[in-house]
Amino acid sequence: FSAVMHLWPLFVSYGLSFGVLTNFWVAHHYIVNLFSKNVNRHVVYLDVLFLMFLSLIPFSSSIIGRYNYLSTAVFFYGVNLLCISFALLALHEYIFFSRAIQNTPFAKDNARFGKIRIWMTILFTTAGIMISFVHTGLAGVLYLIPLVVAMIPGSISRCDRLINHYKASFYGKQSTGVQTNVPRRKSYRRVSSS
């Protein structure tokens, strides 16, 4: 029993890699299957790039499971997460802004949520990479935050409302969907009589 208990970091890294793979695969599914009506060669190549970095997760998580006390292992895991995130962002941007890809009506409503999810992973992973040489445990927590947020129902829409609120207060404009104390101006239009 003590020999099995000695392997707990490997079991934790397995659970972490499973959660990360699930999170990225669900995001990929939304982008490719639900947001686009068609695919082309560029989407396939971006998909292959995404899958190449995604397939490194078991390797990088086994390294972090064996050497979780080494900052190099935590750094390597973070770089792997960052590469996956940028590959997914490239796929997201190509599908939404390419003239060759037709988007579904569902895509127009939910494109912001996907982008928030990807950028949240990029920001927290970048912070984790920078902190990994100072405190490996804190870096691991920063890597987990986007995964936990993605599992909480409605959390991405709350992040979107928070972003809109701060964007409105920064730019001094009324944002859509967020009620602030700034009164709206009444518009007085001339009615043309014809």
Side-chain angles (χ1 to χ4, degrees):
F1 185 72
S2 64
V4 174
M5 289 305 293
H6 182 66
L7 297 175
W8 73 267
L10 291 175
F11 289 119
V12 169
S13 71
Y14 170 76
L16 178 68
S17 70
F18 185 77
V20 167
L21 289 172
T22 301
N23 188 29
F24 278 117
W25 192 253
V26 166
H28 173 268
H29 171 73
Y30 273 98
I31 291 170
V32 175
N33 293 343
L34 297 178
F35 292 163
S36 63
K37 290 182 179 178
N38 63 321
V39 295
N40 62 9
R41 182 180 294 248
H42 299 292
V43 171
V44 172
Y45 286 138
L46 288 170
D47 222 7
V48 168
L49 180 70
F50 170 75
L51 290 174
M52 179 185 75
F53 291 125
L54 196 66
S55 67
L56 284 175
I57 282 290
F59 175 68
S60 64
S61 65
S62 71
I63 290 175
I64 207 171
R66 288 188 184 132
Y67 308 107
N68 56 0
Y69 53 90
L70 291 178
S71 59
T72 308
V74 177
F75 173 80
F76 179 70
Y77 186 79
V79 168
N80 190 6
L81 287 177
L82 202 59
C83 290
I84 295 168
S85 299
F86 278 119
L88 190 62
L89 181 65
L91 184 65
H92 181 275
E93 296 299 302
Y94 182 79
I95 284 178
F96 281 104
F97 295 112
S98 172
R99 292 181 182 169
I101 303 298
Q102 296 173 350
N103 297 125
T104 63
F106 181 71
K108 305 225 184 308
D109 298 333
N110 294 297
R112 280 184 56 82
F113 295 154
K115 206 168 197 177
I116 289 170
R117 192 178 198 165
I118 295 169
W119 275 107
M120 184 185 308
T121 305
I122 289 171
L123 293 175
F124 278 101
T125 302
T126 303
I129 288 171
M130 291 190 289
I131 292 174
S132 67
F133 289 105
V134 178
H135 197 283
T136 57
L138 184 58
V141 169
L142 287 171
Y143 296 158
L144 282 176
I145 288 174
L147 178 65
V148 171
V149 168
M151 287 195 275
I152 299 171
S155 61
I156 301 297
S157 61
R158 283 187 211 111
C159 290
D160 184 43
R161 286 194 302 267
L162 189 65
I163 290 168
N164 282 337
H165 175 72
Y166 284 112
K167 191 191 300 185
S169 64
F170 181 74
Y171 290 114
K173 297 179 182 176
Q174 179 77 20
S175 65
T176 58
V178 176
Q179 296 295 324
T180 61
N181 294 332
V182 179
R184 292 182 179 227
R185 283 180 52 191
K186 293 181 180 178
S187 64
Y188 297 99
R189 292 186 191 176
R190 281 191 178 178
V191 178
S192 63
S193 57
S194 44

